[in-house]
Amino acid sequence: MIIRNIEINNFRNFAGLKATFEPGANIFFGDNGSGKTNFLEALFVLCLGRSQLGAADNVLVKQDSDYYRLEGEVAAGDNRHRIAVAYQKGSRRRLAVDGVTARPAELFERFCAVSTGPEDSVILSGPPGARRMFLDMYLSQLSPRYLSELTDYHRVLSQKNAALKNEIDPAPFEPLLISHGARVMVQRGEFLNALKELSRQYHGEIAGGEKFTLKYEPSVSLSDENNTGPGEIELAFQRTLDEHYEKEAYLRTAIVGPHRDEIFFEIAGLPARTYGSQGQWRTAAIALKLGVYRLLKDRRGGAPLLLLDEIFAELDSNRCDRLIELFGEFSQLFLTTATAPPPQLITNGCCYKIVRGTVENVS
Amino acid sequence: MFNSAGSVERLINQLARLPGIGRKTAARLAFHILKSTREEAFELADTIREVKEKVGFCSICYNITEEDPCKICRDPQRDRHTICIVEDASDAAAFDRVEGFKVLFHVLGGRLSPLDGIGPDDLKIRELLNRLDDHVKEVIIATNPNVEGEATALYLSRLLKPMGIRVTRIARGLPVGADLEYADTVTLTKSLEGRQEIK
């Protein structure tokens, strides 16, 4: 999909601005603190109704203001849609597509966006929660069914945790925990399997041969790793729950299930979390996101929006050059850089300068 | 919020405690009551008092009633082999409007929700088990199709099945009169999972 234009009001450091875009590369440059990342965030929120950085709505509202509003036109295939996202402090965020009120899950179903920025290193280096957040954000775009199963799973989980805390028998919630949880795990397994191959390819292309691999490590121990059907996982889930019954009762919290899943990453034959460098983490994160982009494009039949925040910051010049060579396969991308954009990019793209909350087309 | 008499403020506070009523609506209702005639306002107040004085729970099915046992439990025309289990009295009223579905009810008085501090002992489950005798052939579990309602249904079915009673669950999927093209994919998935052979 292509973003044609956007109108931003009171979002982060932007008071009010309008901008139109072209297919291909849209390059934003400007000094630190000028609002480059904020601009990409506005595009992401417009598409999916939430921030890629996990920022809450009241944080997105410009200082000294009490609301924000984003409106823009996107083209998906032959169709054009106007999306509007508005939030007033003290009330709920409102979404509309073509003037009709929409639920958040509907935006995930109809539009898709992939973003990568400096914050992504945490997927490789940070706590397990960061990896699950990555998984949930993008798998939810690939499958509305996943989002719905995950929402139900978390609802059941909080009921089970409340039961454990209040010494109510949690047993009535366990069959549901197992059935929703197993479906979440099946989808995670399939997604990561497909992503493993795609991200390995992209990583190879950018890093020039350095090996990258990933492995899904569910919290439920499977007796046979090759048998990952829903039935098999449900049995294994039940078995693991039984094994941890006393521990859960003692800790008064649920410790078995997809909310404790992990992804294991390996760069150049070593565990990424312990041995990776900043540049290696960043490269791997970009490869992962490009892999996600490809998966979304192939399975949903339309290219997602691609946002690349400060992608050249931590990469060496060889990796930067090889990354730029890949840009041809993306129908529209937005990238930011604090330094001068590489010359080979400027010739094929549209340049914008951001100065203290204003955007100017300088190409 | 308003620079008004203390009793008006109290009325607004009372109304705002009702479900689905925010402070703005509560203020509107309060001023409406102020504007209405004495008779109208007193009638409302009396009705509320009367409801609390007269209406209680049926000692058999725990539905709301003015007489004990309730009309439904006393009705000899009803199918006494089937009990429909619901969360609240309002659900029983909804099912009772269904033509040709004149069965007995059992009102649980809520659903399992540890987040709200509600466990099996807080529902009328023991009372349900005491009711089940040889006459009862089928129990229909009609709790809501959400996480808490499903957990309650599963819990009940595990209790009831070993007793040799037929336990059924109401269907879920597309609402009657719906347009397929506007249904969300999750609802469509549920309707496919619950598809039935045409007889």
Side-chain angles (χ1 to χ4, degrees):
Chain A
M1 75 187 225
I2 304 283
I3 293 206
R4 293 278 173 196
N5 54 56
I6 189 169
E7 189 176 338
I8 303 177
N9 281 301
N10 294 329
F11 185 92
R12 293 279 195 185
N13 69 330
F14 300 105
L17 72 84
K18 287 180 185 181
T20 56
F21 313 109
E22 297 299 323
N26 291 278
I27 304 142
F28 295 82
F29 62 96
D31 297 338
N32 295 138
S34 56
K36 301 185 294 294
T37 303
N38 297 347
F39 196 81
L40 295 191
E41 195 177 25
L43 294 171
F44 198 90
V45 173
L46 180 73
C47 281
L48 295 176
R50 66 170 73 174
S51 158
Q52 77 272 34
L53 308 173
D57 280 312
N58 56 348
V59 178
L60 300 178
V61 174
K62 189 176 185 297
Q63 295 288 311
D64 309 325
S65 178
D66 60 357
Y67 80 98
Y68 77 76
R69 188 169 196 285
L70 305 170
E71 185 170 344
E73 190 180 81
V74 302
D78 294 334
N79 300 319
R80 288 189 172 208
H81 298 288
R82 280 204 84 73
I83 314 175
V85 180
Y87 168 77
Q88 170 103 37
K89 276 187 185 169
S91 76
R92 289 176 64 183
R93 182 196 320 133
R94 291 198 318 213
L95 314 168
V97 179
D98 299 321
V100 180
T101 306
R103 290 175 297 112
E106 245 173 283
L107 290 191
F108 272 76
E109 218 170 301
R110 297 177 67 171
F111 309 105
C112 52
V114 176
S115 150
T116 178
E119 71 281 356
D120 276 356
S121 296
V122 78
I123 299 172
L124 282 296
S125 64
R131 289 179 275 286
R132 289 190 295 266
M133 216 161 100
F134 154 71
L135 202 52
D136 293 340
M137 168 65 86
Y138 291 99
L139 189 43
S140 296
Q141 293 187 51
L142 199 66
S143 157
R145 179 93 194 272
Y146 178 79
L147 182 56
S148 138
E149 291 289 353
L150 186 72
T151 312
D152 283 347
Y153 176 78
H154 279 289
R155 179 80 196 164
V156 180
L157 180 66
S158 44
Q159 288 286 13
K160 181 182 170 182
N161 275 329
L164 288 167
K165 282 210 172 57
N166 301 325
E167 293 185 7
I168 296 172
D169 182 13
F173 288 91
E174 291 200 330
L176 287 174
L177 193 81
I178 291 172
S179 61
H180 291 301
R183 274 174 268 182
V184 164
M185 286 163 61
V186 168
Q187 292 220 43
R188 283 182 176 177
E190 284 171 7
F191 175 74
L192 288 173
N193 242 340
L195 188 59
K196 181 179 167 179
E197 184 50 31
L198 287 168
S199 58
R200 192 191 58 78
Q201 282 172 22
Y202 278 115
H203 191 274
E205 285 174 48
I206 302 166
E210 194 175 64
K211 278 212 175 91
F212 172 65
T213 185
L214 64 87
K215 187 167 169 266
Y216 177 39
E217 292 186 335
S219 103
V220 168
S221 37
L222 296 168
S223 46
D224 177 5
E225 286 190 3
N226 298 317
N227 190 353
T228 51
E232 174 62 24
I233 290 184
E234 281 190 15
L235 284 176
F237 202 156
Q238 181 68 63
R239 205 171 44 236
T240 321
L241 274 174
D242 292 344
E243 283 163 14
H244 291 78
Y245 175 78
E246 277 168 19
K247 202 171 174 192
E248 286 192 334
Y250 173 73
L251 293 170
R252 293 186 173 197
T253 186
I255 55 168
V256 178
H259 63 292
R260 292 289 183 103
D261 278 357
E262 248 292 26
I263 313 172
F264 175 75
F265 294 106
E266 211 176 69
I267 303 173
L270 292 169
R273 197 177 172 192
T274 356
Y275 294 99
S277 74
Q278 292 285 344
Q280 282 178 321
W281 287 334
R282 197 64 210 283
T283 309
I286 292 171
L288 274 177
K289 291 296 178 69
L290 296 183
V292 168
Y293 178 93
R294 270 284 296 279
L295 261 183
L296 282 169
K297 186 179 170 183
D298 294 348
R299 298 214 185 152
R300 294 193 38 159
L305 176 71
L306 183 60
L307 307 174
L308 307 167
D309 192 17
E310 293 289 1
I311 38 165
F312 305 124
E314 279 144 330
L315 306 188
D316 61 46
S317 58
N318 290 329
R319 288 188 181 197
C320 285
D321 291 343
R322 287 193 288 257
L323 181 56
I324 292 168
E325 281 171 25
L326 292 173
F327 283 0
E329 55 178 280
F330 310 122
S331 50
Q332 188 186 34
L333 66 95
F334 293 82
L335 74 89
T336 66
T337 169
T339 51
Q344 71 267 43
L345 251 186
I346 297 177
T347 47
N348 298 320
C350 220
C351 280
Y352 304 83
K353 190 169 169 56
I354 298 196
V355 182
R356 269 179 275 116
T358 62
V359 175
E360 188 191 347
N361 188 334
V362 292
S363 48
Chain B
M1 182 177 181
F2 294 98
N3 186 14
S4 51
S7 55
V8 178
E9 188 65 37
R10 261 206 328 274
L11 179 59
I12 294 172
N13 286 338
Q14 294 277 347
L15 291 170
R17 281 161 56 188
L18 299 176
I21 309 284
R23 273 199 71 83
K24 264 189 189 166
T25 312
R28 263 180 63 199
L29 293 173
F31 284 107
H32 178 83
I33 292 169
L34 268 178
K35 269 193 271 175
S36 60
T37 61
R38 272 177 81 87
E39 289 71 35
E40 281 172 339
F42 284 0
E43 199 187 332
L44 177 63
D46 290 343
T47 315
I48 293 175
R49 183 180 292 275
E50 198 181 302
V51 143
K52 287 311 283 182
E53 278 172 354
K54 282 196 181 162
V55 179
F57 295 102
C58 170
S59 58
I60 300 173
C61 71
Y62 293 89
N63 204 344
I64 49 167
T65 176
E66 291 192 11
E67 307 152 56
D68 189 23
C70 72
K71 252 191 207 161
I72 293 177
C73 289
R74 279 183 294 134
D75 184 356
Q77 305 294 319
R78 285 191 178 248
D79 170 7
R80 308 193 78 84
H81 301 302
T82 309
I83 296 183
C84 177
I85 305 176
V86 293
E87 293 178 14
D88 293 305
S90 53
D91 301 332
F95 276 109
D96 204 44
R97 284 196 292 272
V98 178
E99 250 177 82
F101 187 69
K102 296 299 171 207
V103 299
L104 298 176
F105 288 97
H106 190 84
V107 181
L108 294 171
R111 65 253 207 277
L112 291 178
S113 178
L115 281 172
D116 303 306
I118 301 172
D121 295 341
D122 301 298
L123 303 176
K124 303 288 180 204
I125 293 176
R126 204 172 303 117
E127 291 79 353
L128 170 70
L129 298 180
N130 289 338
R131 264 182 93 176
L132 298 175
D133 51 27
D134 294 343
H135 287 102
V136 180
K137 300 277 183 274
E138 180 178 353
V139 163
I140 303 168
I141 306 178
T143 50
N144 280 303
N146 52 27
V147 162
E148 293 75 17
E150 291 294 346
T152 312
L154 277 167
Y155 180 77
L156 289 174
S157 75
R158 285 182 184 198
L159 275 181
L160 300 175
K161 270 191 184 154
M163 300 171 78
I165 301 170
R166 182 169 183 237
V167 181
T168 54
R169 177 89 175 103
I170 49 168
R172 58 194 291 179
L174 291 162
V176 176
D179 258 324
L180 282 175
E181 58 175 322
Y182 298 119
D184 62 278
T185 50
V186 175
T187 306
L188 287 175
T189 309
K190 296 284 178 211
S191 76
L192 284 171
E193 281 171 358
R195 70 185 184 275
Q196 290 178 355
E197 203 171 316
I198 296 176
K199 284 168 195 151

